[in-house]
Amino acid sequence: VATKSTKTKRAVKDRRPKRKTCNFCSDKAIDVSYRDVNRLKKYVSERGKIVPRRISGNCAKHQRMLTVAVKRARVIAFLPYVSE
Ligand SMILES: [Zn+2]
């Protein structure tokens, strides 16, 4: 049987992660706040999950602040825990 696997392995060297800069670091004026729902929404997936750092590109410090802010926003119902 000469069936070739359709699944192609991606070469490791091709997987070059783009160096994203932290949005909060690049703009000193903006602050991570749980009241800033419109900004927080950008870091929450459509399912209501917090976007991981490797995708959002935030630095560790700001990602942590963001996580806290999102969780706080959920408690006071600014953001959903889960959305369908
Ligand atoms: Zn940052």
Side-chain angles (χ1 to χ4, degrees), residues 22-26 58-63:
C22 173
N23 286 318
F24 296 100
C25 279
S26 56
N58 287 334
C59 70
K61 188 178 102 183
H62 283 115
Q63 180 71 20

Side-chain angles (χ1 to χ4, degrees), residues 56-68:
S56 67
N58 287 334
C59 70
K61 188 178 102 183
H62 283 115
Q63 180 71 20
R64 220 177 308 129
M65 287 165 79
L66 191 83
T67 309
V68 173

Side-chain angles (χ1 to χ4, degrees), residues 37-53:
V37 187
N38 286 326
R39 201 183 312 283
L40 292 181
K41 268 184 186 161
K42 286 196 285 185
Y43 298 102
V44 173
S45 74
E46 65 267 30
R47 304 249 351 245
K49 294 174 79 173
I50 301 169
V51 175
R53 193 151 68 87

